[in-house]
Amino acid sequence: TMKLPIWLTNYRFFQIFILGLFSGMPFSILYTSLIAWLKDYGVELSIVTTFAIARIPYSAKVFWSPALDYFNIPFLSKLGRRKSWMIISLALLGFALFAISFLHPADDITSMRYLALVIGIMAATYDMSFDAFRINILDEDQQALGAATAVLAWRLGAFITGAGALFIIGANIENWHLVFRGMAILFLSGVCFIFTVKEITLIKKITGSFAEQINEFIIKPFSDILSRKGAILILTSIVCYKMGEALLGFVSVPFYKEMGYSNAQIAVVVKSYGLVATLVGTYIGGVVIYKLGNIKGMILCGMLQSVSNLMYLWLHYQPVLDSSLLITVSIDNFTGGMGSTALIGYLSALCNKNYSATQYALLSSLATLINSTLSATSGSLIASIGWDHFFILTVLLEIPALVLLLYVGRMNSFKLQSH
């Protein structure tokens, strides 16, 4: 008899998908829609760039992540600790968007900046509570499929409030106020959905002295990871896993333009077809991890992700054709989606469910550390060694992570989660 895949029959994956949409929506609001609104009203670039402060909470969320593991929100916590944090985050996101929709970029720029910061803080808080919820309701062998579902939903959510918002606006900039009110309604509808979600509560109540609570709140989540066999190797492999992708992703658009591709070609091929390839790769990556396990799946996805960078070396010697760009972008985005799902599934499986919010915030911050630092050297590297050697370097940079993962996988006593 034929059996449908688990991610089509298990209602928990549907819940993850819907909640994941609301995880991706704020990102495009801060990175695309709000910036476009300001530019449409002629706000100076020096002022527009100050709104980057609203993105800081995504990088700093680890500092208040312990509160999500241990602090109960009055009244709402009776529904479930993860649910209560998701409800308060989405509600405040909705109210902030409603408030900002009544402002004018030319007259209320300071108020808009503060409200944007509120959106950033609440978005980061929602992400942590959602990730903790996702990790807690799934078994270890389902984490990669859960990650694939979350990544797919995140990208669709970001598309709705990014490209979707720009499409609705068209040439009439007066519609921005209505669009932001519409997005506010979407977030408030998410609050209603969260009330229907069933949470699996695994978190114990913390008692004892202040010192004992600090130990349980802050020290134990980190010591739990560091005490595991091969912990340093595991953490190092996480940091290195996306190193080549981080370098390449930051300069891919300048490379396309240097090759002679127009903005229109990049928009259609990279942003549209590339998105489809990423979504397909995301789910294939989840299936690979589900079938092979975390370590073997990580190694396979990492190898494909790395080798696909050689497509840019091939593209460098091709004429400026849409077909050449399409082939390169499709292969790169497909394998990049596989690698992203593998990494998120791995991080999810590493988390102890008693400390899932804190540990996932820590691990995901480590995973993006290279994106924020090494990427800044891309331009200097290309100037020194040229495009061809740069593309080869991005392939070689994946090798340390794969070797470390291979070694970790051979530890007979190795176990992902601490129980």
Side-chain angles (χ1 to χ4, degrees):
T1 57
M2 295 235 357
K3 292 179 68 177
L4 289 172
I6 187 172
W7 59 90
L8 293 180
T9 59
N10 193 322
Y11 184 68
R12 288 178 292 180
F13 288 96
F14 173 75
Q15 293 178 324
I16 290 171
F17 177 79
I18 299 298
L19 296 174
L21 291 173
F22 297 105
S23 177
M25 287 180 185
F27 185 85
S28 280
I29 291 174
L30 294 175
Y31 277 75
T32 303
S33 301
L34 183 58
I35 302 304
W37 183 14
L38 296 174
K39 289 299 294 177
D40 280 348
Y41 276 86
V43 178
E44 293 181 10
L45 183 61
S46 60
I47 296 176
V48 172
T49 53
T50 63
F51 279 74
I53 62 169
R55 307 169 193 175
I56 294 175
Y58 280 103
S59 301
K61 61 186 179 182
V62 68
F63 292 108
W64 71 91
S65 59
L68 276 69
D69 275 331
Y70 299 107
F71 183 74
N72 289 320
I73 299 175
F75 305 110
L76 285 177
S77 61
K78 295 180 181 179
L79 301 172
R81 184 170 289 163
R82 308 306 186 196
K83 286 176 62 175
S84 66
W85 280 101
M86 286 192 287
I87 288 170
I88 200 70
S89 299
L90 282 195
L92 290 176
L93 270 167
F95 290 134
L97 288 168
F98 259 125
I100 210 170
S101 72
F102 289 97
L103 301 179
H104 194 285
D107 305 320
D108 307 299
I109 200 70
T110 301
S111 298
M112 292 183 75
R113 189 182 295 114
Y114 284 126
L115 285 170
L117 182 59
V118 171
I119 292 172
I121 294 171
M122 289 301 104
T125 303
Y126 177 83
D127 281 357
M128 289 189 290
S129 52
F130 164 62
D131 286 328
F133 171 83
R134 169 177 59 81
I135 291 167
N136 284 10
I137 66 170
L138 296 178
D139 298 330
E140 186 176 316
D141 63 345
Q142 298 174 337
Q143 293 296 340
L145 292 178
T149 305
V151 172
L152 171 62
W154 189 97
R155 292 187 179 276
L156 290 177
F159 184 84
I160 290 170
T161 55
L166 292 174
F167 177 79
I168 293 172
I169 291 299
N172 188 359
I173 63 174
E174 294 299 325
N175 287 338
W176 276 117
H177 299 280
L178 295 177
V179 166
F180 269 75
R181 286 168 203 167
M183 291 190 292
I185 293 172
L186 282 177
F187 281 106
L188 294 177
S189 69
V191 172
C192 299
F193 178 77
I194 294 172
F195 278 101
T196 70
V197 169
K198 183 178 181 181
E199 179 176 337
I200 298 176
T201 304
L202 301 171
I203 305 167
K204 58 186 177 182
K205 186 176 180 180
I206 305 302
T207 57
S209 66
F210 178 74
E212 290 172 330
Q213 291 187 37
I214 290 295
N215 179 63
E216 192 70 30
F217 268 67
I218 299 174
I219 298 175
K220 276 193 175 181
F222 300 104
S223 63
D224 175 74
I225 290 180
L226 294 174
S227 63
R228 303 179 200 178
K229 185 173 182 179
I232 300 301
L233 297 179
I234 296 168
L235 296 177
T236 305
S237 67
I238 289 172
V239 172
C240 295
Y241 192 71
K242 281 280 188 179
M243 192 179 295
E245 291 293 298
L247 274 174
L248 182 56
F250 198 67
V251 297
S252 57
V253 172
F255 172 67
Y256 301 144
K257 294 181 74 66
E258 189 173 308
M259 283 284 297
Y261 288 98
S262 67
N263 288 333
Q265 288 173 303
I266 294 172
V268 172
V269 176
V270 178
K271 301 302 182 183
S272 300
Y273 291 103
L275 174 62
V276 174
T278 300
L279 297 181
V280 175
T282 293
Y283 254 104
I284 296 298
V287 173
V288 168
I289 299 295
Y290 185 69
K291 297 292 185 181
L292 299 183
N294 284 283
I295 300 299
K296 290 181 179 178
M298 279 276 287
I299 292 172
L300 176 59
C301 291
M303 290 174 61
L304 295 174
Q305 168 185 268
S306 175
V307 173
S308 69
N309 290 350
L310 293 176
M311 290 303 302
Y312 287 89
L313 183 61
W314 173 80
L315 181 65
H316 199 193
Y317 293 93
Q318 301 304 308
V320 180
L321 297 172
D322 287 351
S323 57
S324 300
L325 183 61
L326 177 61
I327 292 171
T328 300
V329 168
S330 297
I331 293 175
D332 179 57
N333 285 23
F334 177 79
T335 57
M338 291 182 67
S340 296
T341 297
L343 180 60
I344 294 172
Y346 184 50
L347 300 184
S348 302
L350 283 170
C351 292
N352 184 323
K353 293 186 178 182
N354 288 315
Y355 316 115
S356 49
T358 303
Q359 290 186 345
Y360 191 84
L362 169 67
L363 294 171
S364 59
S365 296
L366 278 175
T368 57
L369 180 63
I370 291 297
N371 292 357
S372 310
T373 53
L374 191 62
S375 298
T377 68
S378 298
S380 300
L381 274 171
I382 293 166
S384 299
I385 64 177
W387 283 109
D388 290 358
H389 290 98
F390 175 77
F391 295 139
I392 294 172
L393 176 63
T394 62
V395 176
L396 298 178
L397 285 174
E398 184 74 20
I399 294 176
L402 298 179
V403 172
L404 290 172
L405 286 169
L406 186 63
Y407 183 75
V408 168
R410 289 181 175 178
M411 293 181 183
N412 295 328
S413 60
F414 174 77
K415 196 171 186 180
L416 281 177
Q417 292 186 358
S418 174
H419 299 284

